[in-house]
Each structure stands twice: as structure tokens, then as C-alpha cells.
Amino acid sequence: MADAAATAGAGSSGTRSGSKQSTNPADNYHLARRRTLQVVVSSLLTEAGFESAEKASVETLTEMLQSYISEIGRSAKSYCEHTARTQPTLSDIVVTLVEMGFNVDTLPAYAKRSQRMVITAPPVTNQPVTPKALTAGQNRPHPPHIPSHFPEFPDPHTYIKTPVSDKAMGLLTQ
């Protein structure tokens, strides 16, 4: 079952429209993660005793799992930021699960179940690169009176006055 759904997911483009494989690295990154979720859903269905499943059913369950995981992350991030931290901790996730109605006391027994299937790690893909902002000018180093642990100066165009011609000044005063 797990192989059938994974093969079905890998055989198509991983998108709902059935279009060709994307060459955008960000899209490939998300498609690889989506396929991994499809394998997880398929293995859970196999553990539950299903021998086969419709492709649409696996896709729907994958979408639900992705939404559930995203909501856990969003809520844990919210709890983390509420306490003025930047990295969520285990307690943020536990509080999130409790708030979502999940019984966290059942997690250890579920993790130790005998019929669980082990899924290999997904292939390593590069995280999508976020384009850097356009920079103008050279960043200046800190003067001696500013401690080195302070952040770098911003781009010079944000704080250096740009001379304006007399003609432009005439247009501004009209």
C-alpha cells in the first residue's frame, strides 16, 4: 500500500493539475516534502489494515496532515513569540497539542507500538534560497567608539543624504 501510493505520487508531478515537473528549486523542495507526507499517510493506512486506497483519498488525507502540522507550527510559534522567544520549545508544542484537543499522554505508547513502519529519510534537497535585497554602496565598519557586538550599519542609501540638483529642488517647491 505504502509503495503503491508513493509510486502513484512520484509518478505524477505531485501537483493536482498534473502539469510537468517544476524546475523551480522552491517548488521541488515543497514537492519532495509533499511526497514524503504521502508516504507517511500510506504507511499509516497500511498499519491501520488497509490494503489499498484511492489516490484521491490519500491526497485528501495528505492535505489534512499537512494542514494539521502547519497549524501546530503556527500555534507553537505564536506561543513562543508571546513569551518573547524566537525558537519554539517542546513546551510550546505540548501546549499547542493540548489546546488542539490532542491527548499528549498517549504519545509514548504510540511511539513504542510494535506494528509501526519506519520510513527512510527523504532525499536531501536544498532549502529554497531567498533572494537578497538590493544593496547600494559599501557598508561601513563600526567606528572605534561603537562596540563590535552591535549590529552592522544598514546600507548607506538609508542614512546618507543624496544631493539634489537645483532643478529638482525647483520642481519640489512648485
Side-chain angles (χ1 to χ4, degrees):
M1 165 59 206
D3 293 334
T7 304
S12 70
S13 67
T15 61
R16 292 182 196 153
S17 63
S19 61
K20 291 187 177 183
Q21 181 72 21
S22 174
T23 58
N24 182 353
D27 291 343
N28 288 338
Y29 177 80
H30 295 294
L31 288 174
R33 297 301 176 242
R34 181 69 173 207
R35 286 189 192 116
T36 302
L37 282 178
Q38 287 176 337
V39 172
V40 168
V41 166
S42 299
S43 67
L44 289 172
L45 290 172
T46 302
E47 283 183 27
F50 290 91
E51 293 179 9
S52 64
E54 298 257 342
K55 186 176 177 181
S57 299
V58 173
E59 184 62 32
T60 301
L61 290 170
T62 301
E63 186 71 30
M64 291 172 66
L65 179 61
Q66 183 175 352
S67 295
Y68 190 72
I69 292 170
S70 296
E71 180 61 23
I72 290 171
R74 188 203 58 75
S75 186
K77 178 179 179 264
S78 175
Y79 284 119
C80 165
E81 289 174 348
H82 182 70
T83 56
R85 289 181 283 113
T86 58
Q87 291 289 325
T89 62
L90 180 61
S91 61
D92 294 323
I93 295 169
V94 169
V95 169
T96 296
L97 291 172
V98 169
E99 285 291 318
M100 293 175 75
F102 187 85
N103 184 0
V104 293
D105 296 330
T106 62
L107 277 175
Y110 182 76
K112 295 177 184 175
R113 68 195 187 285
S114 60
Q115 74 276 15
R116 75 174 188 260
M117 297 178 77
V118 178
I119 299 171
T120 59
V124 177
T125 58
N126 295 333
Q127 183 76 13
V129 178
T130 306
K132 293 189 178 198
L134 181 63
T135 58
Q138 296 289 330
N139 285 352
R140 293 190 315 175
H142 287 298
H145 64 279
I146 297 179
S148 61
H149 64 274
F150 280 5
E152 298 280 328
F153 279 121
D155 285 340
H157 76 277
T158 62
Y159 61 90
I160 294 177
K161 181 179 176 182
T162 304
V164 179
S165 69
D166 291 337
K167 183 177 180 182
M169 287 303 292
L171 292 174
L172 292 175
T173 59
Q174 290 179 358

